[in-house]
Amino acid sequence: MEHRERNTRYLYLRVIVGIVCAVLLGRLCYVQLIDDKYDALAKSNIMRSEVEYPMRGEVLDRRGEFLVKSRVCYDVMVVTDNIPKTGFDTVRLASILEITPEKLAKQLDKADNSPHAPFLVVGYLSQDAKLLLDEESFDGFYTRFRTAREYPRKIGGNLLGYVGEVNQNQLKRWSHYDAGDYIGVGGIESAYETELRGEKGVSYRIYDTHGAVMGEYDDGALDILPVKGKQIVSTIDGRLQEFAEELMQDKVGAVVAIEPSTGEILVMVSSPTYNPDLLVGRQRGNSYMELLHNQRTPLYNRAVMAKFPPGSTFKLVQGLIGLQEGVLRPSDTHPCSMGYTYGVGRHNRKLKCHSHRSPLNLRQAVAESCNAYFCYVFKDIITNPKYGSTKEGLRKWNEYVSSFGFGKKLGSDFTDELTGFVPTPEFYDDRNNGRWNWGTVISCAIGQGEMECTPMQLANLAAIIANRGYYYMPHIVKHVEGEERLDERFYKRNYTLVDSVHFETIIDGMWRSVNVAGTSRKAYLEGWDVCGKTGTAENRRQYKLNGVSKSAPDHSAFLSFAPRNNPRIAIMVYVEHGGFGSAIAVPIASLIEEMYLTDTIKRPQLVEEIKNTKLNYGYYDYQQQKYDASREQE
Amino acid sequence: MMSKYNNISSRRSNSFFGNVDKVALMLYIALVGVGILSITSASYDTEAASGFSMSHNHMKQLVWAGFSMVVGLVILLLDRRLFHMFSFPAYIVGIGLLVAVLIFGREVNGAKAWFEFGGVRVQPVEFAKIATALMLARIVSDYSFDINRLNSLFKVAGVIALPLGIIILQNDTGSGLVLCSFLFVLYREGITKYIYFPVVFTVFLFIVSFIFTPELIFTVLLIAFMAYSALKNGAIAGHLRLLALLLLASLLIALLTPLSGYTALMIVCGIAAAILGFMAIRLQLRQLLWPLLMFVYAMAFVPTCDVLFSKLEPHQQNRILTFVGMKSDPKGIDYNVEQSLIAIGSGGATGKGFMEGTQIKYDYVPEKHTDFIFCTVGEEWGFMGTTFIILLYIALILRLMKMGERIRETFGRVYCYCVAAILLFHVWVNVGMTIGLMPVMGIPLPLMSYGGSSLLAFTILIMIAISLDASANEESV
C-alpha cells in the first residue's frame, strides 16, 4: 500500500471516529438540551400524588354522646408493575388481608389491566392488619388511610343512613367526587353530606421503582392536608331512641317524637330497623342484599316515607277545621247509634262506630273517638253553602288540611321525606268521572279513604296541637360544628289556618281521653297531664293463609303530647296491623313519654310485656313467601 | 524485522517510563476515576450509613482498580517481545476458555458466558478479545501476509470467526459483534474496496431492511442507481424516461393487479435490472456493472434478511424490533431505554449534582451501575458531563490510533488499531443504547461499568498497547 493511500485511510478512519463522536454528542445535545419532555417524565416517574382522605365528621346526640364515630381503617392498594417478577407469598398476603387467596388472585388479575395505576385490592383493613402488612412489606402493595363508621349504640339504621362508595351517576352529577370516594346514603349521612365529608387533601411523595415510598416530594411543600368533616350534634336523644327501638322490636311501624317548642326530632324509629354496623366495611354488600330481600323492608324509612291512613287521629284536624269554619261549636252534640247512616234508598250506607253513650259533645267525641260525630262535622264543612258546592267546600277543606303540613314535604333537613296525600276535588273528579258528593268522600272524616300521611306529619300534628296552632319544621340536627345557627327556616313558626283559641277544646278532649274517660286511658301518667288521641286505621291489605284469603288487621296509632301546658314532647306511634289504637300504640307512646319526662320507668313489667309482644304479620309473611318463591325461580 | 530485536539489549530501564505515552495513561486513569465516582453514585444506598463498607460496589471496584493498576504496571515492565511470542498461546488459551465457559459456565440473562469463582464473575470473552487482537496483530505482521491475497484473508477470517462462532453459541451475540469492529483495522491495513464495500453495503441493507419496507428500499435504490448511471454517463440519460415509465407501470401493476405490491415491484426491478445490464454491455460501460451488481444483490439480500431474521432467538428479534420501533414492549427492552433516556434527558445542561440523580437513586434505571452507567453521568452531570466523557473516550481512541501510526512495526500498529476499534465499538454501542441510537446489547462501557473482570481486561488491553508504543519509542531514541 502506498504511503499516500495509507495516510488517506488513516484520515478516513479518524473521520469515522469524528462522526461517531458527533452523532453521539448531537443526540445527547438533543436529548439533554433541546427535548425538555424528560424533566416532566422524570418527575412523574418518582412522584405520585396520592389523595389524602379526611376523617368523616362524627354525629352526637342531643346529650353529647356519640351516635356515629369514625374509626381508622386502610385501603390496600397495588401497582402490579411493582410486584416482583419472582412472585410473592400470596397465601400469606391473603391471610393478612383477611381474604381468600382466590379473591386476591381475582383482584390482581383485574389490577393487571392497567399495571401502572394504583388499584384497590381490598378496603377496610384494620390497623393491626395494616401494621402486619407494613412489617412484612410486600413490594407493589401499599395502604391508604380511610375511615369507617362505628355506632356505639347500634341504633338508628335508617335515621343515620350509611356510607358507601359514590356510584357512576353521582360521579357524573357532582364534580366534587372521584371514583372511590365515600358518600353518605340516606338519613343524616346523606342530609348533611357536605358538612360531614370534610375536604380531601393531596400529598406528593417520592417512590422508587419498586413502589416503596422514599420520602416527601419537595419536603411536602405542595401537599394539601385533608380537613376533617364537621361534627354534628343531632336532635336525637340516643337513650330514648334506643328505648323506642326496643319497644318496637318485632313490630312493623314507626315512632316519631318531636319537641314542640323547637321542632327538634327526639326520636325517629322505623321498625324493623337494623344494626347500622352491618352496613360498614366488607360485609356491607351482603348485609345490604339481605336487608333488601326482607319484605318487611328494613331499609325503608317508614317514619318519613310511609303512606299510612291517619285513622281517628285525624278527627282532631276535622274538629279544628269545623270550629274555625264556624260550622261547629264545642257544645254541639250529634247522635250516634253504632255508626253514621248516610245515603238514601238502596244506596243507604252506614259508617260504623263502637258502642258508647250518645249523644256526645265535641270534647266527649274526641275522648271517645266517635266516628259519627266527625262525619257530621266533615259534611258540614264541605257542604257549607258559603262555598256554593261540595267541590269548593272540599277545596277549602284541603287548604286547611295542607296548612297542618299534610300532603307535602315538611321541608325538614331530612332528605328521604315523602309527601303523603290529601285528596283534592280534582282527584275525585278524575276517579269518579265528575260524579261524586259528600257521601262519596265521607270516610275522609275519620282519616280513612284516600288520606295518606307519614308518621312524621302526624307527629308534627301532635306538635301543632301542643303549640296551639303552629309548628317549627321538624329537624334532625341541632348544631353543626363551626356554625352559629341552623338554616333560618327552622326558627320560623308555621301557623295553620286555624286560630289558636279553637285548640283548647280539642286539647281538652284529648286530655279527657287519657285522664277521665276514653280510648287512651293507658297513657295516663300521674302528674304529667298527658293528652292523646288513638287511631285505628282500616287498610285494604289482603293475604292468603293456607289458601284462605284474609284481611290484615287494622293499624294501631296513637298521637300524644305532654304535659298539657308547656308541652315538652309530642309523639306519634304507628304500629302496622297492631289492632286497636289503645292496644299497642298507646303503651309504647306512654312509656317513651315516661322515659323522656321522668328519666325513669315505673312500669318495668309493662316494658317487658311490650318488648316481648311479637305481632303476627300474616301479610308480610305471605309477601316474603311469594318473593322468595319468585327469587328461587330466577 | 527480527533483526531489529537484536538491538533491544541496549534498553535503559530508567528511561522506560519516560517513553510511556502520558496522554494515554492520563486518559485511562481519568476514565477509571470517573467510573468509580459514577458507581459510587449509582450504588448509593439511602439506608446504609457508611459509604466505606466493603460490601459497597464502589469499594469493590476500587479494589479491582488497584489490582488492575498493578497488573498494568507489570505489563508496562514486560518485554514487548513477550506479547508477540505469547500471542498464539494466548489465543489458544482464549479459545479454550470460551469453549470451557460454553460447557461449565453460568448463565446470566440468557447468555452462558460467565465463570463464577466465589462470588466474582468473570466473562472470558473480555480476555478473548485481547487474545484475538494479539493474534490478529501477529498474523497481519507475518512476512508472508498480504491482506489482498486470498489465503491471508482466510487466515484473518478464521482468526476472527473462530471466537465469534463460539461466542454466538454462548448466546452472547452482543459481545461477539465486537470482533467485527476489526474491519476497522483491516481497512487501515489496506483491504481492498471489493471486500469492505460489499460488507458495509450488506450491513447497511441489513439495517434498513428492518426499518423500511422492501418496496421503499427498492424504489429508492432504483432511483439512486438510475441517477448515478445518468450522472456517470450522459448517454444513458436519454433512457431515463423509459425507466421512469417502468416505475410508473410498476406502481400501476401494484395497484391494479392481484399481485402484491412487493411482487410487482420485484418484477419491475427485474426488468429494470435487465435493461440496465443490456445497456451496460451494449454501450460498453463498465462502471455501470457495479451499481447493477449491487442492485441485484440488494434484490436477493433483502428477502433473505427476513429468513435470517426468523432464525434469530426471540429475545434477539425483540431487541432489534424494539430498537427499530416496530414492536412495543413495555417493561421490557423498550422500558429500559425509555428509563435510560429519561434519566439522561432530565440531566439537562449541568445535571442534578453528584448523588442527586433521582432516577438513579430510586432505581428507575435498570443495570444502572453496569451497562447503563452512562445514565449516572447523564443525569447527575448533564450535557457537560456526557460531553466530557465522550471526549475522553474519543481522545483515547484517537491517541491509540496515533500511537499505532507512530509504531513502525506492523504488530504494534495493528494491535493499537485493534484496541482503538474495540473501544470505539463499545462506546458507540453502549452510549448509543442508553440514548436510543442502538438496540440494547449487553456490553459494558469500557473502564467505567461496574465489574472487576471487565476493568481488568480493558486495563490489560490498553496497557499492552501503551507498552508496545513505549518500547517502540525507546528503540527509536
Side-chain angles (χ1 to χ4, degrees):
Chain A
M1 201 165 58
E2 298 166 42
H3 186 70
R4 194 171 66 91
E5 170 75 5
R6 247 191 261 160
N7 278 344
T8 322
R9 291 204 171 195
Y10 177 40
L11 178 67
Y12 280 177
L13 287 177
R14 278 181 295 170
V15 168
I16 288 175
V17 174
I19 290 171
V20 166
C21 176
V23 170
L24 290 179
L25 289 183
R27 174 73 179 159
L28 280 166
C29 175
Y30 176 76
V31 170
Q32 298 193 290
L33 303 181
I34 296 166
D35 195 340
D36 51 9
K37 77 177 174 199
Y38 296 110
D39 247 355
L41 285 172
K43 202 177 276 181
S44 76
N45 246 353
I46 60 162
M47 187 178 87
R48 268 215 309 270
S49 71
E50 191 79 52
V51 180
E52 298 272 310
Y53 290 98
M55 192 84 137
R56 199 170 167 88
E58 298 99 346
V59 181
L60 304 173
D61 87 338
R62 63 189 296 118
R63 295 159 181 270
E65 83 177 40
F66 281 107
L67 289 176
V68 186
K69 273 180 164 171
S70 273
R71 75 177 152 85
V72 172
C73 67
Y74 295 88
D75 282 347
V76 179
M77 310 294 292
V78 68
V79 178
T80 52
D81 243 9
N82 298 330
I83 296 177
K85 293 283 165 282
T86 47
F88 61 96
D89 189 348
T90 47
V91 177
R92 176 75 188 130
L93 180 61
S95 91
I96 292 175
L97 303 186
E98 287 153 357
I99 54 176
T100 61
E102 292 75 34
K103 161 102 175 164
L104 178 62
K106 218 171 97 186
Q107 290 295 81
L108 289 179
D109 262 5
K110 276 193 220 163
D112 230 7
N113 289 338
S114 47
H116 304 299
F119 179 86
L120 175 69
V121 181
V122 67
Y124 304 102
L125 192 73
S126 70
Q127 204 147 14
D128 290 346
K130 188 250 179 192
L131 289 176
L132 203 57
L133 183 70
D134 287 351
E135 208 172 284
E136 307 208 0
S137 141
F138 290 86
D139 274 353
F141 292 86
Y142 66 100
T143 54
R144 193 166 69 177
F145 175 91
R146 295 304 284 266
T147 58
R149 290 312 220 183
E150 203 172 52
Y151 304 89
R153 273 194 190 267
K154 323 232 173 287
I155 53 166
N158 280 311
L159 164 69
L160 301 171
Y162 60 95
V163 174
E165 250 179 58
V166 283
N167 60 33
Q168 287 304 315
N169 286 336
Q170 289 162 334
L171 280 177
K172 260 180 237 161
R173 249 167 64 205
W174 298 302
S175 59
H176 179 87
Y177 295 96
D178 299 303
D181 284 1
Y182 290 157
I183 190 170
V185 185
I188 295 179
E189 296 282 12
S190 129
Y192 285 85
E193 165 68 13
T194 27
E195 285 80 7
L196 289 170
R197 71 185 173 203
E199 290 302 324
K200 284 181 285 182
V202 64
S203 71
Y204 298 94
R205 295 219 183 90
I206 295 176
Y207 291 81
D208 74 1
T209 190
H210 313 295
V213 180
M214 303 307 285
E216 289 180 326
Y217 187 82
D218 208 1
D219 286 331
L222 304 171
D223 293 4
I224 299 168
L225 285 174
V227 181
K228 182 179 176 293
K230 290 177 182 165
Q231 200 174 62
I232 280 181
V233 179
S234 162
T235 61
I236 294 292
D237 183 325
R239 193 186 56 164
L240 202 61
Q241 173 83 18
E242 188 172 359
F243 183 56
E245 287 188 11
E246 280 168 13
L247 294 175
M248 285 296 285
Q249 72 193 14
D250 295 320
K251 296 147 200 100
V252 177
V255 177
V256 179
I258 295 174
E259 183 177 68
S261 58
T262 54
E264 291 174 2
I265 297 170
L266 302 171
V267 170
M268 185 191 276
V269 180
S270 172
S271 188
T273 180
Y274 59 89
N275 175 359
D277 274 340
L278 286 177
L279 293 187
V280 179
R282 298 183 193 163
Q283 83 266 33
R284 189 177 70 230
N286 289 338
S287 307
Y288 185 83
M289 289 319 287
E290 209 168 285
L291 293 172
L292 202 63
H293 293 318
N294 185 341
Q295 291 305 292
R296 294 192 189 191
T297 57
L299 289 172
Y300 174 71
N301 191 351
R302 289 178 161 79
V304 288
M305 299 171 95
K307 293 184 275 187
F308 290 135
S312 306
T313 57
F314 194 67
K315 289 170 184 164
L316 304 170
V317 181
Q318 219 64 270
L320 286 166
I321 299 171
L323 290 170
Q324 178 70 24
E325 280 288 280
V327 296
L328 171 68
R329 282 164 302 170
S331 57
D332 285 352
T333 57
H334 290 291
C336 171
S337 52
M338 296 300 284
Y340 176 70
T341 313
Y342 62 102
V344 279
R346 62 188 175 89
H347 295 298
N348 190 345
R349 286 202 250 162
K350 187 169 184 175
L351 199 155
K352 283 182 193 150
C353 191
H354 56 98
S355 77
H356 56 78
R357 64 201 171 86
S358 174
L360 299 171
N361 66 20
L362 176 56
R363 285 178 175 83
Q364 292 161 334
V366 169
E368 291 289 352
S369 194
C370 173
N371 285 347
Y373 192 94
F374 290 97
C375 289
Y376 288 109
V377 175
F378 181 56
K379 184 196 162 196
D380 290 346
I381 294 167
I382 62 173
T383 58
N384 192 344
K386 198 159 74 170
Y387 299 114
S389 68
T390 307
K391 193 173 162 177
E392 289 312 305
L394 188 74
R395 194 184 305 288
K396 189 68 196 172
W397 174 83
N398 182 294
E399 232 173 84
Y400 274 110
V401 175
S402 300
S403 76
F404 281 82
F406 291 108
K408 62 183 182 190
K409 290 185 184 178
L410 285 170
S412 162
D413 50 355
F414 211 78
T415 47
D416 304 335
E417 222 191 328
L418 290 182
T419 60
F421 181 66
V422 181
T424 57
E426 285 71 28
F427 170 79
Y428 289 115
D429 280 349
D430 216 37
R431 207 182 65 177
N432 302 317
N433 293 323
R435 292 172 46 160
W436 56 279
N437 58 22
W438 60 269
T440 320
V441 302
I442 196 68
S443 48
C444 287
I446 55 164
Q448 293 289 155
E450 292 72 27
M451 271 296 293
E452 284 170 343
C453 314
T454 67
M456 184 150 86
Q457 286 169 337
L458 291 168
N460 190 46
L461 172 62
I464 291 170
I465 297 168
N467 286 339
R468 277 78 171 163
Y470 64 87
Y471 68 92
Y472 291 102
M473 266 181 199
H475 51 277
I476 202 83
V477 164
K478 203 174 164 66
H479 177 72
V480 176
E481 186 184 348
E483 280 171 30
E484 284 288 305
R485 284 165 76 80
L486 298 173
D487 194 285
E488 284 308 315
R489 71 181 196 271
F490 297 123
Y491 301 108
K492 206 185 107 204
R493 286 182 180 188
N494 299 281
Y495 282 93
T496 63
L497 295 175
V498 177
D499 295 336
S500 62
V501 290
H502 300 301
F503 281 84
E504 244 7 278
T505 319
I506 297 294
I507 290 171
D508 200 37
M510 290 171 73
W511 183 83
R512 290 172 74 91
S513 176
V514 177
N515 297 280
V516 182
T519 50
S520 318
R521 287 287 294 154
K522 278 187 202 162
Y524 177 74
L525 274 183
E526 198 185 342
W528 287 100
D529 280 335
V530 176
C531 304
K533 177 78 200 77
T534 55
T536 307
E538 288 173 14
N539 59 81
R540 299 191 192 87
R541 285 176 176 171
Q542 301 276 327
Y543 66 95
K544 281 183 183 157
L545 185 66
N546 303 326
V548 183
S549 219
K550 295 206 170 195
S551 290
D554 293 342
H555 297 321
S556 168
F558 186 57
L559 181 155
S560 169
F561 64 89
R564 177 173 176 167
N565 292 316
N566 297 317
R568 286 175 53 200
I569 181 169
I571 187 166
M572 178 69 203
V573 176
Y574 205 104
V575 181
E576 290 184 36
H577 311 306
F580 282 113
S582 49
I584 188 84
V586 173
I588 290 174
S590 175
L591 286 169
I592 294 171
E593 284 175 336
E594 184 182 358
M595 181 69 147
Y596 184 70
L597 295 171
T598 69
D599 275 343
T600 51
I601 290 293
K602 293 211 178 79
R603 297 172 284 178
Q605 74 290 355
L606 181 62
V607 174
E608 285 313 305
E609 189 189 316
I610 296 295
K611 276 189 193 172
N612 295 329
T613 303
K614 190 169 182 176
L615 289 181
N616 188 16
Y617 284 100
Y619 169 74
Y620 282 117
D621 295 345
Y622 176 62
Q623 296 294 327
Q624 190 72 48
Q625 275 170 24
K626 275 207 301 192
Y627 180 80
D628 290 345
S630 75
R631 272 185 69 211
E632 254 168 54
Q633 273 182 3
E634 285 166 17
Chain B
M1 260 184 115
M2 282 305 285
S3 62
K4 283 182 185 169
Y5 288 118
N6 296 334
N7 300 332
I8 289 173
S9 53
S10 66
R11 158 198 299 207
R12 286 161 302 166
S13 60
N14 62 339
S15 73
F16 176 77
F17 283 109
N19 292 320
V20 165
D21 190 285
K22 307 277 185 322
V23 177
L25 206 59
M26 293 311 290
L27 287 169
Y28 162 82
I29 292 169
L31 283 166
V32 173
V34 291
I36 289 171
L37 273 185
S38 301
I39 291 166
T40 308
S41 185
S43 315
Y44 179 73
D45 188 340
T46 34
E47 278 162 28
S50 165
F52 297 101
S53 158
M54 273 316 293
S55 62
H56 285 278
N57 288 334
H58 61 279
M59 293 306 289
K60 286 190 198 162
Q61 187 75 355
L62 209 56
V63 171
W64 274 104
F67 179 61
S68 300
M69 299 278 182
V70 172
V71 172
L73 201 66
V74 170
I75 287 169
L76 288 182
L77 292 170
L78 286 178
D79 190 316
R80 65 170 166 154
R81 281 174 300 184
L82 285 173
F83 304 126
H84 189 273
M85 210 184 294
F86 283 116
S87 54
F88 186 67
Y91 184 72
I92 297 300
V93 170
I95 296 294
L97 282 174
L98 287 178
V99 174
V101 84
L102 192 58
I103 301 164
F104 308 111
R106 191 190 141 93
E107 198 167 301
V108 177
N109 293 334
K112 203 174 179 184
W114 303 80
F115 281 129
E116 197 170 84
F117 310 105
V120 180
R121 278 189 202 158
V122 177
Q123 203 176 4
V125 70
E126 305 278 8
F127 299 97
K129 270 183 276 192
I130 308 170
T132 312
L134 285 170
M135 189 63 190
L136 190 69
R138 176 169 170 160
I139 290 177
V140 175
S141 61
D142 270 355
Y143 286 123
S144 54
F145 186 84
D146 179 352
I147 197 157
N148 289 322
R149 278 228 319 266
L150 213 53
N151 64 340
S152 297
L153 273 174
F154 276 136
K155 272 187 198 162
V156 168
V159 162
I160 296 173
L162 184 59
L164 180 60
I166 302 171
I167 293 166
I168 288 173
L169 284 179
Q170 286 172 3
N171 218 354
D172 192 16
T173 317
S175 305
L177 288 177
V178 178
L179 300 178
C180 296
S181 65
F182 291 152
L183 199 65
F184 187 90
V185 183
L186 299 179
Y187 175 77
R188 166 62 185 82
E189 292 308 313
I191 198 166
T192 169
K193 65 179 175 185
Y194 297 109
I195 293 175
Y196 74 75
F197 192 76
V199 172
V200 170
F201 185 63
T202 305
V203 171
F204 169 76
L205 278 183
F206 187 77
I207 292 170
V208 295
S209 71
F210 283 110
I211 303 176
F212 305 110
T213 60
E215 287 90 332
L216 188 68
I217 297 168
F218 288 140
T219 312
V220 171
L221 284 181
L222 192 63
I223 291 168
F225 291 153
M226 286 187 312
Y228 174 81
S229 310
L231 285 171
K232 275 281 178 191
N233 194 298
I236 209 163
H239 302 282
L240 275 179
R241 236 175 278 135
L242 181 69
L243 285 169
L245 273 176
L246 273 170
L247 207 63
L248 197 67
S250 81
L251 289 174
L252 280 176
I253 293 167
L255 287 172
L256 298 175
T257 63
L259 291 172
S260 72
Y262 183 69
T263 319
L265 204 68
M266 288 296 275
I267 293 168
V268 174
C269 288
I271 296 167
I275 291 170
L276 270 172
F278 174 74
M279 288 193 298
I281 295 161
R282 174 91 181 277
L283 303 170
Q284 300 201 324
L285 295 170
R286 283 196 58 209
Q287 66 263 51
L288 268 189
L289 282 172
W290 268 109
L292 181 66
L293 272 174
M294 283 169 70
F295 189 68
V296 173
Y297 175 66
M299 277 177 60
F301 180 79
V302 174
T304 320
C305 249
D306 289 340
V307 181
L308 283 177
F309 180 72
S310 64
K311 297 272 188 229
L312 285 175
E313 293 290 320
H315 78 271
Q316 291 167 326
Q317 287 186 1
N318 267 353
R319 285 180 181 192
I320 294 169
L321 285 179
T322 317
F323 169 64
V324 299
M326 287 169 75
K327 193 174 163 189
S328 187
D329 174 22
K331 200 70 185 171
I333 301 305
D334 216 13
Y335 172 84
N336 291 1
V337 174
E338 178 71 17
Q339 292 304 325
S340 165
L341 271 171
I342 290 173
I344 294 173
S346 66
T350 54
K352 299 175 186 172
F354 184 56
M355 301 272 218
E356 296 294 328
T358 55
Q359 309 300 300
I360 296 295
K361 198 153 73 176
Y362 301 127
D363 258 4
Y364 284 91
V365 179
E367 304 285 325
K368 57 183 180 178
H369 54 279
T370 57
D371 288 353
F372 283 88
I373 190 75
F374 194 68
C375 295
T376 310
V377 179
E379 188 180 14
E380 301 194 341
W381 302 106
F383 184 62
M384 193 183 71
T386 52
T387 308
F388 177 66
I389 299 294
I390 297 286
L391 291 179
L392 280 184
Y393 279 114
I394 297 300
L396 182 59
I397 290 162
L398 290 175
R399 192 73 191 174
L400 282 164
M401 288 165 68
K402 186 176 177 179
M403 280 154 62
E405 289 296 331
R406 76 183 174 204
I407 299 175
R408 301 254 171 80
E409 311 139 28
T410 314
F411 181 81
R413 183 180 68 233
V414 171
Y415 183 79
C416 282
Y417 263 94
C418 279
V419 177
I422 291 172
L423 287 180
L424 184 65
F425 184 86
H426 270 267
V427 170
W428 165 251
V429 172
N430 183 285
V431 175
M433 108 190 150
T434 63
I435 53 181
L437 284 177
M438 290 297 286
V440 175
M441 292 188 225
I443 72 167
L445 190 58
L447 306 175
M448 285 185 68
S449 283
Y450 174 74
S453 75
S454 165
L455 176 59
L456 181 63
F458 275 108
T459 303
I460 296 171
L461 189 74
I462 293 166
M463 287 307 164
I464 290 175
I466 294 177
S467 177
L468 286 169
D469 170 64
S471 40
N473 277 355
E474 181 195 27
E475 199 177 298
S476 60
V477 168

